[in-house]
Amino acid sequence: MADTYILGIESSCDETAAAVVSSGEKIASNVVFSQIATHQPYGGVVPELASREHLRAIVPVVRQALTDAGQTYNSIDALAVTQGPGLAGALLVGISYAKALAFALDKPLIAVNHLEGHIHAVLLEERQKGNYQINFPVLALVVSGGHTHLYRTETRGNSWSYENIGQTRDDAAGEAFDKVAKVLGLGYPGGPIIDRLSGHGNPRAVQFTLSQIKHRDRRSRPFGEDLPRFDFSYSGIKTAVLRHVETNKMQASIEARRKSLATISRPRLEDYLNYCDQQTLDLIASFQHAMVSDLVGKTLVAARAYDAATLFVTGGVAANNELRQSFERDAGGEGLAVYFPSRPLSTDNAAMIAAAAYPKFLAKEFAAMDFSAEAGMALSQG
Ligand code: KG4
Ligand code: ZN
């Protein structure tokens, strides 16, 4: 069968992205326009600004993705776009453009759940490396700025099913990284900065206790099994960091750091290190260590309870070095295969959307032209 070229478009949050992927397994192009510089002064994503930036970027980003792939509007086989979850206005920019293109070109359009995209980022890269031997069921941890979700994932032919077996009750893990970085005057987004600074502090200097939430799953399950859920909670640790800052009178040095870093347009690691004393570095390392231990610990218990054969760890926080090392060490110790996307494919991108669309293309699951953005879209049975 000839290769199928799908143009993917992603605009759910603060990245305008377009990519061409062939037959769900080869990235022909992957263009990501990040809006970080726009949102940085506000310390987080401003939805109205995100929509405006998507509007400005979408046409050139899509054009670039086609050019990089050596494709044209007419040569692609189908279009795919993120339907949700995400910011409603931001999603609408991608959806409206994808609909207009699909209509004008008379090509099929596929609507993709962003979380399904993150899961397929892992598969896409494994297939690109020639690895088709993934054992199911897969337990997928999608861990990003908006999500900390565990899915038990199965596949039958071109049909995928996802059962949510746990998720955060409050803040997502990436949100906790971002909020703690903000509290410590480190700027936005916090995850990559905390990741780089953690290696310079003592991860055992401050003890954080994360809440343990475990309960029976009362929903009816297909085979009447009575398995627990594995929920997370990360709003408490942010408050604990805040309390530590107050107790140790760190506010003045944080304010000085915030002001100094604001004068540097692209701070480097040395700049951050210049403005962080050892006490701050120890706090950062301890925070990251507590987050990683909780994510890895709960995911591995869930993997055992649900008899997972393989683990996928994906989403922006999956770029974290300590998280990757801990998963590799601890899952490896239990004989559980664990896969991550490469760092560029961990964070938001459109290659994952085009890859997730491929089985739907084969199954002819095309979107009706009147579908709309679903800001709170859940990922469920396929
Ligand atoms: O998947 P993503 O790009 O967007 C969402 O769907 O949310 O994830 C962005 C999140 C941000 O919260 C960011 O701080 C976090 O991922 N992140 C990281 C790292 N790189 C990005 N968190 C920890 N360590 C990293 N290296
Ligand atoms: Zn994402």
Short mmCIF file of all heavy atoms in Angstrom, two decimals, residues 74-127:
data_model
loop_
_atom_site.label_atom_id
_atom_site.label_comp_id
_atom_site.label_asym_id
_atom_site.label_seq_id
_atom_site.Cartn_x
_atom_site.Cartn_y
_atom_site.Cartn_z
N ASN A 74 -2.25 19.84 -2.26
CA ASN A 74 -2.95 18.84 -3.06
C ASN A 74 -2.40 17.42 -2.90
O ASN A 74 -3.12 16.46 -3.11
CB ASN A 74 -2.92 19.23 -4.54
CG ASN A 74 -3.92 20.33 -4.78
OD1 ASN A 74 -5.08 20.22 -4.38
ND2 ASN A 74 -3.48 21.42 -5.38
N SER A 75 -1.12 17.30 -2.52
CA SER A 75 -0.55 15.95 -2.49
C SER A 75 -0.85 15.18 -1.20
O SER A 75 -0.72 13.96 -1.17
CB SER A 75 0.97 16.02 -2.72
OG SER A 75 1.60 16.64 -1.62
N ILE A 76 -1.23 15.88 -0.14
CA ILE A 76 -1.51 15.15 1.11
C ILE A 76 -2.83 14.36 0.97
O ILE A 76 -3.67 14.69 0.14
CB ILE A 76 -1.59 16.10 2.33
CG1 ILE A 76 -2.55 17.26 2.03
CG2 ILE A 76 -0.22 16.59 2.73
CD1 ILE A 76 -3.04 17.95 3.26
N ASP A 77 -2.94 13.30 1.80
CA ASP A 77 -4.12 12.44 1.69
C ASP A 77 -5.25 12.87 2.62
O ASP A 77 -6.42 12.59 2.34
CB ASP A 77 -3.73 10.99 2.02
CG ASP A 77 -2.73 10.47 1.00
OD1 ASP A 77 -3.13 10.26 -0.15
OD2 ASP A 77 -1.53 10.33 1.36
N ALA A 78 -4.89 13.45 3.76
CA ALA A 78 -5.93 13.82 4.73
C ALA A 78 -5.38 14.88 5.67
O ALA A 78 -4.16 15.11 5.73
CB ALA A 78 -6.37 12.61 5.53
N LEU A 79 -6.30 15.52 6.41
CA LEU A 79 -5.90 16.49 7.43
C LEU A 79 -6.38 16.00 8.78
O LEU A 79 -7.42 15.32 8.88
CB LEU A 79 -6.56 17.85 7.17
CG LEU A 79 -6.09 18.57 5.92
CD1 LEU A 79 -7.09 18.39 4.80
CD2 LEU A 79 -5.90 20.05 6.22
N ALA A 80 -5.62 16.35 9.82
CA ALA A 80 -6.03 15.99 11.18
C ALA A 80 -5.86 17.21 12.05
O ALA A 80 -4.92 17.99 11.85
CB ALA A 80 -5.15 14.86 11.71
N VAL A 81 -6.76 17.38 13.02
CA VAL A 81 -6.68 18.55 13.88
C VAL A 81 -7.09 18.20 15.30
O VAL A 81 -7.93 17.32 15.50
CB VAL A 81 -7.54 19.72 13.31
CG1 VAL A 81 -9.03 19.38 13.34
CG2 VAL A 81 -7.27 21.02 14.05
N THR A 82 -6.49 18.87 16.28
CA THR A 82 -6.85 18.65 17.68
C THR A 82 -8.23 19.22 17.95
O THR A 82 -8.47 20.40 17.72
CB THR A 82 -5.83 19.35 18.61
OG1 THR A 82 -4.53 18.93 18.24
CG2 THR A 82 -6.10 19.02 20.07
N GLN A 83 -9.13 18.37 18.47
CA GLN A 83 -10.48 18.84 18.81
C GLN A 83 -10.56 19.30 20.27
O GLN A 83 -11.34 20.17 20.62
CB GLN A 83 -11.49 17.71 18.57
CG GLN A 83 -12.93 18.14 18.84
CD GLN A 83 -13.95 17.07 18.55
OE1 GLN A 83 -13.61 15.90 18.31
NE2 GLN A 83 -15.22 17.43 18.56
N GLY A 84 -9.75 18.71 21.15
CA GLY A 84 -9.73 19.05 22.57
C GLY A 84 -8.96 17.98 23.29
O GLY A 84 -8.51 17.03 22.63
N PRO A 85 -8.73 18.07 24.58
CA PRO A 85 -9.03 19.21 25.43
C PRO A 85 -8.02 20.33 25.22
O PRO A 85 -6.94 20.12 24.68
CB PRO A 85 -8.91 18.61 26.84
CG PRO A 85 -7.94 17.48 26.70
CD PRO A 85 -8.15 16.94 25.31
N GLY A 86 -8.39 21.53 25.67
CA GLY A 86 -7.50 22.68 25.55
C GLY A 86 -8.29 23.97 25.70
O GLY A 86 -9.44 23.96 26.14
N LEU A 87 -7.68 25.08 25.33
CA LEU A 87 -8.34 26.38 25.42
C LEU A 87 -9.30 26.50 24.23
O LEU A 87 -8.88 26.35 23.08
CB LEU A 87 -7.30 27.50 25.34
CG LEU A 87 -6.21 27.48 26.42
CD1 LEU A 87 -5.10 28.47 26.07
CD2 LEU A 87 -6.81 27.80 27.78
N ALA A 88 -10.57 26.81 24.52
CA ALA A 88 -11.60 26.80 23.46
C ALA A 88 -11.22 27.70 22.29
O ALA A 88 -11.26 27.28 21.13
CB ALA A 88 -12.94 27.20 24.05
N GLY A 89 -10.84 28.93 22.57
CA GLY A 89 -10.52 29.88 21.50
C GLY A 89 -9.31 29.44 20.69
O GLY A 89 -9.28 29.57 19.46
N ALA A 90 -8.33 28.89 21.37
CA ALA A 90 -7.11 28.42 20.70
C ALA A 90 -7.43 27.22 19.79
O ALA A 90 -7.01 27.17 18.63
CB ALA A 90 -6.07 28.03 21.75
N LEU A 91 -8.22 26.29 20.32
CA LEU A 91 -8.61 25.11 19.53
C LEU A 91 -9.36 25.53 18.27
O LEU A 91 -9.15 24.98 17.19
CB LEU A 91 -9.52 24.19 20.37
CG LEU A 91 -8.86 23.41 21.50
CD1 LEU A 91 -9.90 22.90 22.48
CD2 LEU A 91 -8.05 22.24 20.95
N LEU A 92 -10.24 26.53 18.44
CA LEU A 92 -11.08 26.96 17.31
C LEU A 92 -10.26 27.48 16.13
O LEU A 92 -10.67 27.30 14.98
CB LEU A 92 -12.05 28.05 17.77
CG LEU A 92 -13.39 27.52 18.30
CD1 LEU A 92 -14.24 28.66 18.84
CD2 LEU A 92 -14.14 26.75 17.21
N VAL A 93 -9.13 28.09 16.41
CA VAL A 93 -8.30 28.61 15.32
C VAL A 93 -7.83 27.44 14.45
O VAL A 93 -7.97 27.46 13.22
CB VAL A 93 -7.08 29.40 15.86
CG1 VAL A 93 -6.18 29.83 14.72
CG2 VAL A 93 -7.55 30.60 16.67
N GLY A 94 -7.30 26.40 15.09
CA GLY A 94 -6.83 25.23 14.34
C GLY A 94 -7.96 24.52 13.61
O GLY A 94 -7.85 24.14 12.44
N ILE A 95 -9.09 24.36 14.33
CA ILE A 95 -10.23 23.63 13.75
C ILE A 95 -10.81 24.39 12.55
O ILE A 95 -11.06 23.80 11.50
CB ILE A 95 -11.32 23.39 14.84
CG1 ILE A 95 -10.79 22.39 15.87
CG2 ILE A 95 -12.61 22.88 14.22
CD1 ILE A 95 -11.68 22.18 17.08
N SER A 96 -10.99 25.71 12.69
CA SER A 96 -11.58 26.48 11.59
C SER A 96 -10.68 26.41 10.36
O SER A 96 -11.15 26.24 9.23
CB SER A 96 -11.76 27.95 11.97
OG SER A 96 -12.40 28.03 13.21
N TYR A 97 -9.38 26.53 10.58
CA TYR A 97 -8.46 26.51 9.44
C TYR A 97 -8.43 25.12 8.79
O TYR A 97 -8.47 25.00 7.56
CB TYR A 97 -7.05 26.94 9.89
CG TYR A 97 -6.11 27.10 8.73
CD1 TYR A 97 -6.42 27.93 7.67
CD2 TYR A 97 -4.90 26.41 8.69
CE1 TYR A 97 -5.56 28.07 6.58
CE2 TYR A 97 -4.03 26.55 7.62
CZ TYR A 97 -4.37 27.38 6.57
OH TYR A 97 -3.53 27.52 5.50
N ALA A 98 -8.41 24.08 9.63
CA ALA A 98 -8.38 22.71 9.09
C ALA A 98 -9.66 22.42 8.31
O ALA A 98 -9.61 21.79 7.24
CB ALA A 98 -8.21 21.71 10.24
N LYS A 99 -10.80 22.88 8.84
CA LYS A 99 -12.07 22.66 8.13
C LYS A 99 -12.06 23.37 6.78
O LYS A 99 -12.47 22.80 5.77
CB LYS A 99 -13.22 23.24 8.95
CG LYS A 99 -13.77 22.33 10.01
CD LYS A 99 -15.01 23.01 10.59
CE LYS A 99 -15.51 22.30 11.79
NZ LYS A 99 -16.61 23.01 12.44
N ALA A 100 -11.59 24.62 6.78
CA ALA A 100 -11.58 25.40 5.54
C ALA A 100 -10.69 24.71 4.50
O ALA A 100 -11.07 24.57 3.34
CB ALA A 100 -11.09 26.82 5.82
N LEU A 101 -9.51 24.25 4.95
CA LEU A 101 -8.59 23.57 4.04
C LEU A 101 -9.20 22.28 3.50
O LEU A 101 -9.16 22.01 2.30
CB LEU A 101 -7.28 23.23 4.76
CG LEU A 101 -6.15 24.26 4.76
CD1 LEU A 101 -4.93 23.66 5.46
CD2 LEU A 101 -5.78 24.66 3.33
N ALA A 102 -9.77 21.49 4.42
CA ALA A 102 -10.34 20.19 4.01
C ALA A 102 -11.46 20.41 3.01
O ALA A 102 -11.58 19.68 2.02
CB ALA A 102 -10.85 19.44 5.24
N PHE A 103 -12.28 21.43 3.26
CA PHE A 103 -13.40 21.73 2.37
C PHE A 103 -12.89 22.17 1.00
O PHE A 103 -13.32 21.66 -0.04
CB PHE A 103 -14.27 22.81 3.01
CG PHE A 103 -15.50 23.13 2.21
CD1 PHE A 103 -16.58 22.25 2.17
CD2 PHE A 103 -15.59 24.31 1.48
CE1 PHE A 103 -17.70 22.53 1.42
CE2 PHE A 103 -16.71 24.60 0.72
CZ PHE A 103 -17.77 23.70 0.69
N ALA A 104 -11.94 23.11 1.02
CA ALA A 104 -11.43 23.64 -0.25
C ALA A 104 -10.70 22.57 -1.06
O ALA A 104 -10.76 22.55 -2.28
CB ALA A 104 -10.50 24.82 0.03
N LEU A 105 -9.98 21.68 -0.35
CA LEU A 105 -9.18 20.66 -1.05
C LEU A 105 -9.95 19.37 -1.32
O LEU A 105 -9.45 18.47 -1.99
CB LEU A 105 -7.92 20.32 -0.22
CG LEU A 105 -6.97 21.48 0.08
CD1 LEU A 105 -5.94 21.07 1.12
CD2 LEU A 105 -6.27 21.92 -1.21
N ASP A 106 -11.14 19.28 -0.70
CA ASP A 106 -11.95 18.08 -0.79
C ASP A 106 -11.19 16.84 -0.29
O ASP A 106 -11.08 15.82 -0.95
CB ASP A 106 -12.42 17.86 -2.25
CG ASP A 106 -13.57 16.87 -2.31
OD1 ASP A 106 -14.21 16.67 -1.27
OD2 ASP A 106 -13.78 16.28 -3.40
N LYS A 107 -10.61 17.02 0.92
CA LYS A 107 -9.85 15.93 1.56
C LYS A 107 -10.54 15.57 2.86
O LYS A 107 -11.15 16.44 3.50
CB LYS A 107 -8.43 16.38 1.90
CG LYS A 107 -7.67 17.01 0.76
CD LYS A 107 -6.69 16.04 0.15
CE LYS A 107 -5.93 16.73 -0.96
NZ LYS A 107 -5.28 15.83 -1.86
N PRO A 108 -10.38 14.33 3.32
CA PRO A 108 -10.99 13.97 4.60
C PRO A 108 -10.31 14.68 5.77
O PRO A 108 -9.10 14.94 5.74
CB PRO A 108 -10.77 12.45 4.71
CG PRO A 108 -9.87 12.07 3.61
CD PRO A 108 -9.74 13.20 2.65
N LEU A 109 -11.12 14.97 6.80
CA LEU A 109 -10.62 15.64 8.01
C LEU A 109 -10.86 14.71 9.20
O LEU A 109 -11.95 14.15 9.34
CB LEU A 109 -11.36 16.97 8.19
CG LEU A 109 -11.05 17.77 9.45
CD1 LEU A 109 -9.57 18.14 9.52
CD2 LEU A 109 -11.90 19.05 9.49
N ILE A 110 -9.84 14.58 10.04
CA ILE A 110 -9.93 13.69 11.20
C ILE A 110 -9.76 14.52 12.46
O ILE A 110 -8.82 15.32 12.57
CB ILE A 110 -8.85 12.58 11.12
CG1 ILE A 110 -9.09 11.75 9.86
CG2 ILE A 110 -8.84 11.71 12.36
CD1 ILE A 110 -7.85 11.15 9.26
N ALA A 111 -10.68 14.36 13.43
CA ALA A 111 -10.60 15.09 14.70
C ALA A 111 -9.88 14.21 15.71
O ALA A 111 -10.21 13.04 15.87
CB ALA A 111 -12.00 15.43 15.19
N VAL A 112 -8.89 14.77 16.39
CA VAL A 112 -8.06 13.97 17.29
C VAL A 112 -8.10 14.56 18.70
O VAL A 112 -8.06 15.78 18.89
CB VAL A 112 -6.60 13.92 16.78
CG1 VAL A 112 -5.68 13.22 17.77
CG2 VAL A 112 -6.52 13.24 15.42
N ASN A 113 -8.16 13.67 19.69
CA ASN A 113 -8.05 14.08 21.10
C ASN A 113 -6.57 14.33 21.39
O ASN A 113 -5.71 13.49 21.08
CB ASN A 113 -8.60 12.95 21.98
CG ASN A 113 -8.60 13.33 23.45
OD1 ASN A 113 -7.56 13.66 24.01
ND2 ASN A 113 -9.76 13.26 24.08
N HIS A 114 -6.28 15.47 21.99
CA HIS A 114 -4.89 15.87 22.28
C HIS A 114 -4.16 14.80 23.12
O HIS A 114 -2.97 14.52 22.90
CB HIS A 114 -4.94 17.21 23.03
CG HIS A 114 -3.62 17.77 23.39
ND1 HIS A 114 -2.85 18.50 22.50
CD2 HIS A 114 -2.90 17.73 24.54
CE1 HIS A 114 -1.74 18.88 23.09
NE2 HIS A 114 -1.74 18.42 24.33
N LEU A 115 -4.87 14.20 24.07
CA LEU A 115 -4.23 13.21 24.95
C LEU A 115 -3.90 11.93 24.18
O LEU A 115 -2.86 11.30 24.41
CB LEU A 115 -5.15 12.88 26.13
CG LEU A 115 -5.53 14.08 26.99
CD1 LEU A 115 -6.55 13.70 28.05
CD2 LEU A 115 -4.29 14.66 27.66
N GLU A 116 -4.78 11.59 23.25
CA GLU A 116 -4.50 10.43 22.38
C GLU A 116 -3.25 10.73 21.55
O GLU A 116 -2.41 9.86 21.31
CB GLU A 116 -5.70 10.15 21.48
CG GLU A 116 -5.55 8.87 20.68
CD GLU A 116 -6.82 8.47 19.93
OE1 GLU A 116 -7.71 9.32 19.76
OE2 GLU A 116 -6.89 7.31 19.51
N GLY A 117 -3.12 11.99 21.15
CA GLY A 117 -1.94 12.42 20.41
C GLY A 117 -0.67 12.18 21.23
O GLY A 117 0.30 11.58 20.75
N HIS A 118 -0.69 12.60 22.51
CA HIS A 118 0.50 12.39 23.35
C HIS A 118 0.86 10.91 23.43
O HIS A 118 2.04 10.54 23.42
CB HIS A 118 0.26 12.94 24.75
CG HIS A 118 0.56 14.42 24.88
ND1 HIS A 118 1.79 14.96 24.57
CD2 HIS A 118 -0.21 15.47 25.28
CE1 HIS A 118 1.77 16.27 24.79
NE2 HIS A 118 0.57 16.61 25.20
N ILE A 119 -0.14 10.04 23.51
CA ILE A 119 0.13 8.59 23.59
C ILE A 119 0.73 8.09 22.27
O ILE A 119 1.71 7.33 22.25
CB ILE A 119 -1.17 7.82 23.96
CG1 ILE A 119 -1.60 8.21 25.39
CG2 ILE A 119 -0.98 6.32 23.83
CD1 ILE A 119 -2.96 7.69 25.82
N HIS A 120 0.18 8.58 21.16
CA HIS A 120 0.68 8.13 19.86
C HIS A 120 2.06 8.70 19.51
O HIS A 120 2.73 8.16 18.63
CB HIS A 120 -0.36 8.42 18.77
CG HIS A 120 -1.43 7.39 18.75
ND1 HIS A 120 -1.47 6.35 17.85
CD2 HIS A 120 -2.49 7.20 19.58
CE1 HIS A 120 -2.51 5.58 18.12
NE2 HIS A 120 -3.15 6.08 19.16
N ALA A 121 2.48 9.75 20.20
CA ALA A 121 3.84 10.27 19.98
C ALA A 121 4.86 9.17 20.28
O ALA A 121 5.88 9.02 19.58
CB ALA A 121 4.09 11.48 20.87
N VAL A 122 4.57 8.38 21.31
CA VAL A 122 5.50 7.31 21.70
C VAL A 122 5.53 6.23 20.61
O VAL A 122 6.60 5.80 20.16
CB VAL A 122 5.07 6.67 23.05
CG1 VAL A 122 6.05 5.61 23.48
CG2 VAL A 122 4.91 7.73 24.12
N LEU A 123 4.35 5.81 20.17
CA LEU A 123 4.26 4.76 19.15
C LEU A 123 4.91 5.19 17.85
O LEU A 123 5.63 4.42 17.21
CB LEU A 123 2.79 4.49 18.84
CG LEU A 123 2.11 3.51 19.75
CD1 LEU A 123 0.62 3.56 19.50
CD2 LEU A 123 2.62 2.10 19.46
N LEU A 124 4.62 6.44 17.45
CA LEU A 124 5.18 6.98 16.22
C LEU A 124 6.70 6.84 16.22
O LEU A 124 7.30 6.33 15.26
CB LEU A 124 4.77 8.45 16.10
CG LEU A 124 5.56 9.34 15.14
CD1 LEU A 124 5.43 8.86 13.71
CD2 LEU A 124 5.07 10.80 15.23
N GLU A 125 7.32 7.25 17.31
CA GLU A 125 8.79 7.22 17.33
C GLU A 125 9.34 5.80 17.42
O GLU A 125 10.38 5.50 16.84
CB GLU A 125 9.31 8.09 18.46
CG GLU A 125 9.07 9.56 18.15
CD GLU A 125 9.94 10.48 18.97
OE1 GLU A 125 9.87 10.38 20.22
OE2 GLU A 125 10.67 11.29 18.40
N GLU A 126 8.63 4.93 18.14
CA GLU A 126 9.10 3.54 18.21
C GLU A 126 9.03 2.91 16.81
O GLU A 126 9.94 2.23 16.39
CB GLU A 126 8.28 2.74 19.21
CG GLU A 126 8.61 3.05 20.66
CD GLU A 126 10.10 2.99 20.97
OE1 GLU A 126 10.75 1.99 20.62
OE2 GLU A 126 10.62 3.97 21.55
N ARG A 127 7.93 3.18 16.09
CA ARG A 127 7.79 2.62 14.73
C ARG A 127 8.84 3.22 13.81
O ARG A 127 9.40 2.52 12.96
CB ARG A 127 6.39 2.88 14.21
CG ARG A 127 5.41 2.02 14.96
CD ARG A 127 4.02 2.14 14.46
NE ARG A 127 3.20 1.15 15.16
CZ ARG A 127 1.91 1.21 15.28
NH1 ARG A 127 1.24 2.19 14.74
NH2 ARG A 127 1.25 0.27 15.93
#
